[in-house]
Amino acid sequence: MEDPFGTAGLRARVLETWTSSPARFREDANAEEDYALGGYRDRVLVELAQNAADAAQRAGVPGHLRLVLRDGTLTAANTGAPLTAEGVESLSSLRASTKRGADSAGRFGVGFTAVVSVSDEPSVASLTGAVAWSAERTRALVEGIPALAGELAARHGHVPVLRLPFPAEDVPPEGFTTRVTLPLRDEAAERSLRGQLAELGAPLLLALPALATLTVTVDGRTRLLRAARPTPETVTVTVTETEDGPPGEERETVSRWRTAEAHGEIPGELLADRPAEERGRPFWSVRWAVRAEPRGPLDAPPAGGEVLYAPTPTAEPLDFPALLIASLPLASDRRRAEPGALTDFLVDRAAEAYLELLAGAGDTGLLDLVPSPVPAGVLDGALRRAVLRRLPEAPLLPLAEDAGAGVRGRDAVAVDGPAPLVEMLSGVVPGLLPAAWPAGHRAMRALGVRRMSPADVVDALAGLDREPAWWRGVYDALGGVDAGELGALPVPLADGRLVRGPRGVLLARDLPEPGRAAVLGLRIADPDADHPLLVRLGAVEAGPRQVLADPAVRAAVEGSLDLDDPEERAAIADAVLTLTGALSGPAEPWLAELALPGEDGEPYPAGELLFEDSPLRRVMGEDSPFGIVDPGLVERYGAVALENAGVLRGFALLRVADVDLNDPETLDELGLDGVEDWDVPSGYLPELVAVRDLELVQDWEAALPLLARPPYREAVVEPLSLMDGTRVPSYTSWWLARHEVLGGVRRAHDADPLLEGLYDPAPRFLDPEFAGALGVRRTLADVPPDELLDRLADPGRPVRRDQLRELWTWLSHAPDLLPPDEVRAVAGGSVEVVPAEDAIVVDVPYALPLLADQPLVLLPHARAEALAELLELPLASDEVPGGPDSPGVEREVPEIVRELFPEAPESYLHHERLVVHGREVPWWYDGRPHASGPEGLARAIAWELGRWADRQSLAALLTAPESAALLLAEADLS
């Protein structure tokens, strides 16, 4: 068998070395095992791809690599430079690579060792010959060397596979220069390779630009990856998937990658501590690649390679949104970057290249490429810091007015608002980013961009000089912004001023002759700037009523009477009356302070002027403060304008909402007589309607008919509704009742007869509702109990005996009474007013004979005790203690009584002559009935039974027993 690569000589030299130095055999075996099972585990495919890329680069041709996994064997066929004797020697040695070019992907000469992790019989067939390695053949040769027997036994037969090459007979497939064949050791090796083959994708072609295609065939399914570079900054990777057998549907996906790269020579001082072979290749390169199309599901931010590629994947974590391929120095296991000055140098170069990648983004996709500050590892953290440190100074961003401008992040401004607002601010706010750049993106802070909130925008607009129509455009753009941030928004006024804050600004939409209102000092927006947003921010749609409610108008009105210049007073009056003339009803109550001329030429508050035909002229007294309005004003502005301003045709009617009666200033502003004494359960009133100037009335007979008609009637008869639903008499009703405008408290014509004599009748023109509001009494429920006591004590008011009994009964139910000095009582059969100390409340009827000379308060005995307690008067039962002078004789109650009244006592105490306190009485009761005759016995039994009303029936039964049958029959009918 031919040996074109001189493998025999290589084997002889190695075996000779091992024979002379068994320790060298152990070192080679350990080193190969370390590489294959340590740093180069799971890297078989990557190392094969790297060798294919190097072969293509040496030959100066496009690289093509085909990987096939079939029947337990992996083959890797590639184009490029064929295998040479030096190559075979390199593959059979450790860390002695023949790849010394600056652009070589391989760097240590040990990558091929990775094949040993999956195969014991690797082979390589090239156009120049074939070579194989075999664990079994190597073991056979080692077993023939006695000096190595101990080492072989200690290693349980394990030998270094790749140190002894053997000639082989094989050729690469057509169209390829070289093929590596790896019979797989076991199922575990095959499973591992299947996983690695499935993961091969675009990043590998990006890392190895010498490879133009990569074909992967597993179990008849083929995946072809093709890389094209239409521009120096763009790589397109096409993936086509097919299956063996009948022609089927191909699935093709295309991804476009944008790249940025840099390279150069490493300064000598940074290589001083590096290995000799690295010092012989003093070149560095970094390449960033980011997938531009498609970006991912739902246009998610781009994903990077997750690890550093140097140039093939390492285990160094990188969580950047782009793939980094850089010639960073690696540890011997090729999995981690080695820290040091060279790594720091290349980190800075990578950061600079990353900024070039960002600059090429061309749109807001740049933001997704800005790394977050949270690192995935030490190298990742150093790279992030290097990038983030440079970002604010990098001219990466466009301007709203010039998309091609490159502005630094620290000079840029992003408006946190709608796109139309950004467009309006273009050329106004320096450094403004276009509307498509979201101010809230996390990358903005890293870029150093200043975020401008709508409130900041408002502040920036404060000093601008723009046409009103421009401001309207700004308002339109701010339509969807939270009103809380726009409180200080500038508004151009009709007089040329620019004021901050729309609140209170008037929008002149329905004003009659708005120019006449200038004297009032109003803030009226320029009509060309009018916009609904201003209303939402507190501007007032300026109809006449809204204008009159402006604080500036109030200030002008309230100060008008104090002005010395008659022309200035007249100008204010003209502006106000022009507005009030357009109203459909009275406006603010303080308009009554507007200074207007009277017919005598003197200025008056409008609220102290009457029309010439006002009925109040005969109601008010001669000394009232009212004047007569100048007839010229009536002719010029009309009666409606003057009435709406407060000039009186009738009483002044006050209507105010949200009144706090606990506030002295509010009470003063109301101007209502005695309002501070008005006792209302709640100090807060949702609405107050009241008639003013009642204290000035002299002729109540003329005034009351006026008040009984609208619009004043409501203020009298409508109760006041409090927040809790309670209803109390109105202020006007309270005032009229308090001041007894009817000449005292009166009763209605249809009042309860029990009130006759106690009250004089009210005038007949008063209807019941209005009379009730004036305090006219109609029923006992309308009468305060203490007032009734006072009326009863007035001897000039006639009271009948039956009327008195009902009144005392009603008073006994009062919750409380002020004990009177005098009371109405029955004395000697007549009704009289007597001193209270002489009166006795009768609660027991048997004491009446002993009280014949006393004034008595008589009412149903069941209510006597309650009334006595309220009036603090003595009871008859307390005033007549003791009992009969003799005990009496016990006798049976006649049977006929118990037949009619079964609960009657069986006996009573009979007296021939019943004497109590020296006076003879017909009956008595001290727990037992005492009587001297049938009339007295009937009363005593009725009292004991609690059936006082039946005393007459009992008396008839006892005095005429023959009527018993009739009485029993009547009882049966009860």
Side-chain angles (χ1 to χ4, degrees):
M1 181 182 298
E2 293 184 4
D3 187 9
F5 300 123
T7 60
L10 291 175
R11 290 196 304 277
R13 289 194 296 275
V14 171
L15 289 173
E16 181 180 354
T17 301
W18 287 353
T19 301
S20 62
S21 176
R24 179 63 181 271
F25 168 79
R26 183 169 67 252
E27 290 175 0
D28 287 349
N30 287 340
E32 184 179 278
E33 188 175 46
D34 286 343
Y35 288 131
L37 302 181
Y40 285 79
R41 71 184 185 279
D42 302 331
R43 292 183 58 85
V44 176
L45 301 179
V46 171
E47 295 300 331
L48 291 175
Q50 188 166 283
N51 287 340
D54 288 337
Q57 193 161 348
R58 288 197 301 274
V61 298
H64 302 282
L65 171 63
R66 184 175 71 187
L67 299 172
V68 179
L69 177 60
R70 181 182 293 118
D71 300 329
T73 299
L74 174 71
T75 61
N78 63 268
T79 59
L83 186 64
T84 62
E86 292 81 2
V88 172
E89 183 177 0
S90 173
L91 295 177
S92 301
S93 59
L94 296 174
R95 295 185 65 79
S97 175
T98 61
K99 298 180 285 186
R100 297 176 180 271
D103 296 327
S104 171
R107 300 170 62 196
F108 292 109
V110 296
F112 190 69
T113 311
V115 302
V116 182
S117 65
V118 297
S119 180
D120 292 330
E121 306 290 332
S123 63
V124 178
S126 188
L127 295 178
T128 53
V131 64
W133 294 266
S134 169
E136 184 178 352
R137 295 170 69 179
T138 299
R139 189 180 301 108
L141 291 176
V142 171
E143 287 175 346
I145 303 174
L148 299 179
E151 287 293 337
L152 189 61
R155 302 190 64 81
H156 305 288
H158 174 72
V159 295
V161 176
L162 297 180
R163 291 292 280 131
L164 301 181
F166 298 92
E169 293 183 347
D170 195 6
V171 293
E174 185 177 353
F176 292 92
T177 304
T178 304
R179 176 175 66 190
V180 178
T181 301
L182 302 177
L184 302 180
R185 181 180 297 117
D186 50 28
E187 291 183 0
E190 184 172 347
R191 283 195 304 272
S192 174
L193 282 175
R194 283 180 180 274
Q196 295 177 50
L197 287 167
E199 293 177 359
L200 291 179
L204 186 63
L205 295 182
L206 293 169
L208 301 173
L211 284 181
T213 66
L214 169 63
T215 304
V216 179
T217 301
V218 178
D219 297 334
R221 177 175 294 175
T222 299
R223 190 157 49 95
L224 171 62
L225 290 82
R226 302 189 304 273
R229 291 169 173 79
T231 69
E233 296 82 20
T234 305
V235 178
T236 300
V237 178
T238 303
V239 180
T240 305
E241 295 187 43
T242 59
E243 294 191 20
D244 291 349
E249 180 181 355
E250 288 189 351
R251 293 186 299 276
E252 183 174 276
T253 59
V254 179
S255 60
R256 185 173 64 85
W257 297 72
R258 193 165 49 78
T259 63
E261 57 184 85
H263 51 81
E265 187 171 348
I266 302 173
E269 63 272 15
L270 298 180
L271 293 172
D273 59 348
R274 303 306 301 164
E277 290 203 9
E278 284 191 40
R279 293 198 300 271
R281 293 186 297 177
F283 306 102
W284 63 268
S285 67
V286 294
R287 180 187 304 116
W288 288 97
V290 61
R291 191 169 66 174
E293 295 178 358
R295 292 178 60 185
L298 301 179
D299 281 338
E306 299 183 354
V307 295
L308 168 70
Y309 280 61
T312 53
T314 68
E316 188 70 59
L318 278 185
D319 192 22
F320 269 66
L323 174 69
L324 173 61
I325 305 146
S327 57
L328 268 75
L330 301 178
S332 60
D333 62 2
R334 298 199 68 187
R335 290 185 171 270
R336 296 283 182 174
E338 277 196 332
L342 179 55
T343 295
D344 295 342
F345 171 80
L346 291 175
V347 163
D348 285 338
R349 303 293 79 73
E352 293 165 357
Y354 195 72
L355 295 186
E356 293 298 323
L357 185 74
L358 294 180
D363 58 16
T364 55
L366 176 152
L367 300 175
D368 292 330
L369 298 178
V370 174
S372 71
V374 181
V378 176
L379 178 66
D380 186 85
L383 189 54
R384 285 173 192 272
R385 289 190 295 274
V387 171
L388 294 175
R389 185 172 62 249
R390 289 169 168 79
L391 278 179
E393 297 295 330
L396 301 173
L397 304 176
L399 291 177
E401 67 268 27
D402 182 4
V407 64
R408 296 181 301 181
R410 68 182 182 92
D411 298 328
V413 173
V415 170
D416 192 2
L421 175 63
V422 178
E423 294 168 4
M424 289 298 302
L425 299 177
S426 178
V428 175
V429 176
L432 182 65
L433 295 180
W437 290 70
H441 197 288
R442 62 163 183 83
M444 288 297 190
R445 177 174 293 185
L447 287 164
V449 175
R450 180 167 67 91
R451 182 176 182 178
M452 181 176 274
S453 69
D456 297 329
V457 171
V458 168
D459 289 338
L461 296 177
L464 286 182
D465 182 14
R466 291 290 190 276
E467 292 298 319
W470 183 88
W471 286 103
R472 180 181 174 83
V474 170
Y475 304 152
D476 200 51
L478 289 170
V481 175
D482 181 6
E485 298 194 70
L486 306 178
L489 185 64
V491 180
L493 300 184
D495 60 9
R497 290 180 295 155
L498 184 71
V499 296
R500 297 198 66 179
R503 183 166 298 280
V505 171
L506 304 177
L507 304 177
R509 296 175 178 174
D510 301 307
L511 283 185
E513 302 183 59
R516 296 170 71 175
V519 68
L520 300 174
L522 297 172
R523 299 191 308 161
I524 300 178
D526 191 296
D528 290 340
D530 193 344
H531 191 277
L533 175 66
L534 298 178
V535 178
R536 185 158 65 92
L537 297 178
V540 179
E541 295 183 72
R545 190 172 299 276
Q546 289 74 28
V547 172
L548 289 170
D550 189 278
V553 177
R554 181 169 186 172
V557 167
E558 292 177 342
S560 61
L561 199 62
D562 298 326
L563 295 174
D564 295 327
D565 185 354
E567 292 185 0
E568 190 175 354
R569 275 202 309 267
I572 293 174
D574 173 70
V576 172
L577 293 176
T578 299
L579 295 169
T580 59
L583 299 179
S584 58
E588 302 292 340
W590 44 260
L591 281 173
E593 298 184 42
L594 177 66
L596 296 175
E599 65 176 358
D600 57 4
E602 294 297 320
Y604 289 80
E608 295 182 11
L609 284 173
L610 304 176
F611 286 99
E612 190 172 10
D613 59 350
S614 171
L616 286 187
R617 296 185 66 181
R618 59 188 179 88
V619 168
M620 301 296 182
E622 292 294 333
D623 58 346
S624 73
F626 294 103
I628 305 301
V629 68
D630 183 352
L633 290 180
V634 180
E635 183 178 350
R636 179 176 181 185
Y637 298 104
V640 171
L642 293 164
E643 281 190 72
N644 291 340
V647 175
L648 301 175
R649 188 174 298 282
F651 286 100
L653 189 63
L654 178 70
R655 189 183 299 271
V656 188
D658 301 321
V659 178
D660 182 5
L661 294 178
N662 296 320
D663 179 17
E665 185 175 343
T666 298
L667 296 181
D668 185 60
E669 290 179 356
L670 292 176
L672 295 174
D673 180 58
V675 68
E676 65 276 3
D677 300 324
W678 183 26
D679 187 14
V680 182
S682 170
Y684 173 76
L685 307 181
E687 184 182 38
L688 173 63
V689 181
V691 177
R692 298 177 58 175
D693 305 321
L694 295 174
E695 71 277 12
L696 302 177
V697 173
Q698 296 293 319
D699 185 354
W700 281 107
E701 186 175 350
L704 289 176
L706 293 176
L707 293 173
R709 296 194 297 267
Y712 315 110
R713 181 184 180 87
E714 174 193 0
V716 180
V717 302
E718 285 294 326
L720 186 70
S721 295
L722 304 182
M723 291 292 291
D724 61 359
T726 304
R727 290 169 67 84
V728 298
S730 68
Y731 160 82
T732 309
S733 174
W734 166 81
W735 193 96
L736 293 172
R738 183 188 190 199
H739 289 79
E740 298 184 351
V741 297
L742 295 174
V745 182
R746 303 295 184 96
R747 64 174 172 84
H749 287 280
D750 59 348
D752 189 329
L754 293 175
L755 300 182
E756 289 183 8
L758 295 174
Y759 296 94
D760 296 332
R764 286 190 175 273
F765 70 82
L766 298 178
D767 62 88
E769 184 182 41
F770 191 77
L774 296 182
V776 172
R777 313 304 189 210
R778 192 166 183 271
T779 67
L780 280 173
D782 300 330
V783 181
D786 286 315
E787 179 183 293
L788 181 57
L789 272 181
D790 291 342
R791 296 271 165 167
L792 287 174
D794 182 356
R797 297 195 174 275
V799 178
R800 304 183 310 277
R801 179 167 178 161
D802 63 318
Q803 179 185 7
L804 179 62
R805 177 181 182 275
E806 295 301 323
L807 294 174
W808 283 132
T809 302
W810 183 80
L811 284 170
S812 72
H813 291 89
D816 191 23
L817 287 173
L818 182 64
D821 295 328
E822 294 180 314
V823 297
R824 186 86 61 156
V826 177
S830 63
V831 177
E832 300 177 0
V833 176
V834 301
E837 58 191 17
D838 296 338
I840 295 175
V841 180
V842 178
D843 59 335
V844 290
Y846 54 80
L848 283 172
L850 304 180
L851 301 172
D853 300 329
Q854 293 287 333
L856 302 179
V857 175
L858 300 173
L859 71 162
H861 65 84
R863 301 301 307 163
E865 185 176 353
L867 182 64
E869 185 175 349
L870 287 168
L871 301 180
E872 297 184 3
L873 297 180
L875 287 168
S877 59
D878 295 330
E879 291 296 304
V880 187
D885 294 346
S886 61
V889 177
E890 187 166 355
R891 287 187 180 179
E892 286 188 7
V893 172
E895 184 66 26
I896 190 64
V897 173
R898 288 198 302 278
E899 288 183 16
L900 192 60
F901 299 95
E903 69 274 22
E906 294 182 359
S907 63
Y908 73 100
L909 295 173
H910 178 74
H911 297 259
E912 291 296 332
R913 186 168 177 268
L914 180 56
V915 178
V916 178
H917 289 290
R919 181 174 293 185
E920 187 172 352
V921 297
W923 69 285
W924 196 262
Y925 188 82
D926 58 2
R928 292 196 66 188
H930 297 256
S932 60
E935 292 286 347
L937 179 59
R939 285 166 170 73
I941 292 174
W943 185 255
E944 176 161 311
L945 293 178
R947 299 177 62 170
W948 184 244
D950 290 329
R951 63 191 183 280
Q952 302 295 345
S953 298
L954 280 167
L957 188 63
L958 291 172
T959 56
E962 67 276 8
S963 63
L966 178 61
L967 292 174
L968 287 171
E970 291 176 349
D972 289 337
L973 297 175
S974 299

